[in-house]
Amino acid sequence: MLCGECGEALTIVQTDTYGCSNHCKKGICSNETHIDRKEMTKRVLSNLMKIMSDVQYVDHFIQDGNKALETQYAYQTAEQAQTKRSLKKVRRDIEATLINLSKGPGSNSLLEQPDKLEEEEKRLDEKIVKTHSDYPDVNIRPNKRGKLLRDQRN
C-alpha cells in the first residue's frame, strides 16, 4: 500500500484510518487523503481475488512456490547428510574408545570421553529429527491448478 503521490508506504494514522506516512509523520507530502481500514481491506482482498483467479498468476505462484520448496529441500538434504556423517563418526569414536578402555585402565580423559561422545550422539540424533520436522514435505503440483481454481470460484 503506497501513496499515489510520493510512493511512500501508507500507515495507520488514526485508529481505523490509513494515510501517507510522509504526509502524517514528516509533512513532506501534500497527499492529505485518508482511507478507512475496512475500505482498504475490501480493496486489497478484491484485487487479490482478481489476481488469484488469473491462471497465469496461479501458474507463476505455483512455480515460485515449488522453486522455494526445492531450495529448502536441497538445504535440508545437505544439512541432514552432514549431520548423519557426523553421527557416524561419533559412533565410531565411541566404539574405538570403548575398545581402548577394555584393554586396560586409561587416563581420566579417556574415561570421560564416552560420556562426552554419547552427549554429542544424542545432540546429533535430536538435530536429525528436528531438521526433518522443520522442513515438511510439501509440493504444489501443477495438475492441481484446475482444482484450486474451481474450488476458488465455487
Side-chain angles (χ1 to χ4, degrees):
M1 302 180 299
L2 303 175
C3 172
E5 203 164 306
C6 72
E8 185 65 25
L10 298 184
T11 188
I12 296 177
V13 293
Q14 295 172 359
T15 305
D16 284 336
T17 308
Y18 286 93
C20 174
S21 60
N22 268 342
H23 176 77
C24 298
K25 293 180 181 177
K26 300 176 186 172
I28 58 175
C29 177
S30 60
N31 185 356
E32 299 176 358
T33 306
H34 291 176
I35 184 169
D36 180 69
R37 179 185 56 82
K38 289 180 182 177
E39 177 62 24
M40 176 67 76
T41 302
K42 183 177 151 185
R43 288 182 187 185
V44 168
L45 291 176
S46 174
N47 284 328
L48 281 174
M49 291 300 292
K50 287 178 189 173
I51 289 170
M52 292 307 294
S53 65
D54 186 333
V55 174
Q56 175 187 355
Y57 288 109
V58 172
D59 282 343
H60 182 71
F61 173 77
I62 289 171
Q63 289 171 359
D64 283 356
N66 281 335
K67 284 180 188 174
L69 289 170
E70 287 169 8
T71 301
Q72 189 175 3
Y73 181 74
Y75 174 76
Q76 173 193 3
T77 303
E79 183 179 19
Q80 275 202 339
Q82 177 59 44
T83 303
K84 286 178 180 180
R85 285 191 296 273
S86 297
L87 185 57
K88 279 184 179 180
K89 182 186 180 316
V90 166
R91 287 180 175 153
R92 283 191 311 268
D93 290 349
I94 289 172
E95 192 174 320
T97 302
L98 294 175
I99 289 169
N100 286 336
L101 286 172
S102 69
K103 292 179 180 177
S107 66
N108 285 340
S109 64
L110 186 61
L111 293 172
E112 294 170 0
Q113 197 169 5
D115 291 336
K116 291 177 184 176
L117 289 169
E118 286 169 355
E119 285 176 21
E120 179 66 4
E121 178 184 36
K122 180 180 176 188
R123 186 189 71 77
L124 291 170
D125 275 332
E126 289 170 354
K127 183 177 179 181
I128 288 171
V129 170
K130 183 180 181 331
T131 301
H132 184 69
S133 65
D134 285 348
Y135 300 101
D137 296 332
V138 177
N139 195 356
I140 301 172
R141 293 174 186 86
N143 61 351
K144 298 288 184 187
R145 177 186 69 233
K147 183 177 181 341
L148 288 170
L149 290 173
R150 281 192 303 280
D151 291 346
Q152 179 190 16
R153 290 182 183 143
N154 293 333

